[in-house]
């Protein structure tokens, strides 16, 4: 199967999918979509792949495009079951989704480039607003993780919770957020940092890194 990933090196949602692909050891062709200077996400070609004009998009067969990192990761997990990222047990699955969704719907949309541009178009300085949203989200995430974590964020197995956590911590640092109040999240980040799949997915080693 030949997979093609449309992504931007700095995009946290693209980063999640890169982690998933590397964990599943699936080779893929990377097609950079420059969200910054080129605003490539707004071209007609990209809008045809994803009407939301966002990355990531995974082309799973010629002309068959998946968007939304959670949906892409769910497809990957069903298609390439090892290592499992969506726990089988209903309660553990709900816990993993709870943590991943805290990032996906509770933090990242507030820091997204289009949100920042919209705030600024309305004359609202974006940085303090985004930072507040990140801090509130990380507090929620740390609180939940203290309940669910074992060796990893959800019990003793790596899951989508880590896949969503790692890019979010990087974005938080970009906004100068103090991460010391989140020891559980930092402990897990340290464990992920030495795994080859997480290393290969880092933004600075992507071919389109500026
Ligand atoms: N929930 C979506 C979020 C996708 C998203 O927000 N992508 C950002 C980059 S991280 C994007 O493409 N932004 C384009 C823009 O803001 O113009 C997912 O998980 O895939």
């Amino acid at each position: 199967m030949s997979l093609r990933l449309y992504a931007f090196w700095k995009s946290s949602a693209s980063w999640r999918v890169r982690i998933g692909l590397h964990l599943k050891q699936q080779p893929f062709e990377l097609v950079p979509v420059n969200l910054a200077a080129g605003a490539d996400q707004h071209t007609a070609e990209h809008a045809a792949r994803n009407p939301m004009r966002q990355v990531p998009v995974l082309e799973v067969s010629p002309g068959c495009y998946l968007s939304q990192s959670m949906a892409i990761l769910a497809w990957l997990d069903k298609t390439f079951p090892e290592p499992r990222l969506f726990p089988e047990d209903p309660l553990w699955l709900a816990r993993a989704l709870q943590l991943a969704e805290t990032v996906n719907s509770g933090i990242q949309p507030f820091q997204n480039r289009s949100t920042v541009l919209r705030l600024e178009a309305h004359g609202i300085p974006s940085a303090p607003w985004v930072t507040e949203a990140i801090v509130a989200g990380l507090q929620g995430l740390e609180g939940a993780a203290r309940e669910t974590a074992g060796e990893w964020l959800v019990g003793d197995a790596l899951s989508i919770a880590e896949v969503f956590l790692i890019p979010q911590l990087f974005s938080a640092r970009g906004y100068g957020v103090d991460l010391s109040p989140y020891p559980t999240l930092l402990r897990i980040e340290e464990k992920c940092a030495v795994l080859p799949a997480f290393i290969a997915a880092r933004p600075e080693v992507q071919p389109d890194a500026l």
Side-chain angles (χ1 to χ4, degrees):
M1 186 180 294
S2 143
L3 300 174
R4 184 178 288 155
L5 177 65
Y6 295 84
F8 183 53
W9 67 287
K10 254 179 130 176
S11 143
S12 65
S14 302
W15 186 346
R16 298 168 191 161
V17 174
R18 291 196 301 265
I19 296 171
L21 285 163
H22 286 298
L23 281 171
K24 305 281 185 186
Q25 300 194 16
Q26 289 307 307
F28 60 96
E29 180 194 343
L30 180 77
V31 182
V33 176
N34 190 334
L35 301 187
D40 291 347
Q41 72 274 35
H42 295 298
T43 62
E45 272 167 313
H46 192 70
R49 291 177 206 122
N50 179 4
M52 279 294 282
R53 297 164 190 264
Q54 292 179 330
V55 288
V57 171
L58 188 68
E59 189 175 1
V60 298
S61 60
C64 180
Y65 299 106
L66 295 179
S67 59
Q68 294 296 336
S69 58
M70 185 68 88
I72 296 171
L73 287 159
W75 178 86
L76 278 174
D77 213 48
K78 286 274 186 207
T79 310
F80 310 106
E82 292 301 323
R84 184 185 280 280
L85 295 175
F86 289 70
E88 198 163 20
D89 175 83
L91 186 59
W92 288 120
L93 172 62
R95 291 298 191 203
L97 285 168
Q98 178 189 333
L99 297 188
E101 277 300 337
T102 301
V103 174
N104 193 34
S105 57
I107 309 179
Q108 188 272 341
F110 298 106
Q111 76 194 19
N112 189 21
R113 184 181 166 75
S114 58
T115 308
V116 166
L117 293 177
R118 212 167 277 144
L119 286 169
E120 285 169 2
H122 287 277
I124 302 166
S126 61
W129 191 93
V130 174
T131 304
E132 248 176 58
I134 293 175
V135 168
L138 291 181
Q139 282 171 354
L141 202 55
E142 172 72 20
R146 283 184 194 180
E147 299 294 314
T148 59
E151 264 185 58
W152 294 96
L153 275 177
V154 179
D156 294 329
L158 188 83
S159 74
I160 42 162
E162 283 79 16
V163 174
F164 280 71
L165 171 72
I166 299 309
Q168 185 55 58
L169 291 180
F170 180 89
S171 303
R173 285 196 184 89
Y175 274 93
V177 172
D178 171 20
L179 296 181
S180 61
Y182 316 114
T184 313
L185 306 184
L186 291 177
R187 171 173 73 81
I188 300 295
E189 185 188 37
E190 233 178 89
K191 285 165 61 92
C192 292
V194 297
L195 300 181
F198 283 80
I199 294 169
R202 287 194 61 81
E204 66 272 14
V205 299
Q206 303 312 307
D208 57 326
L210 306 172

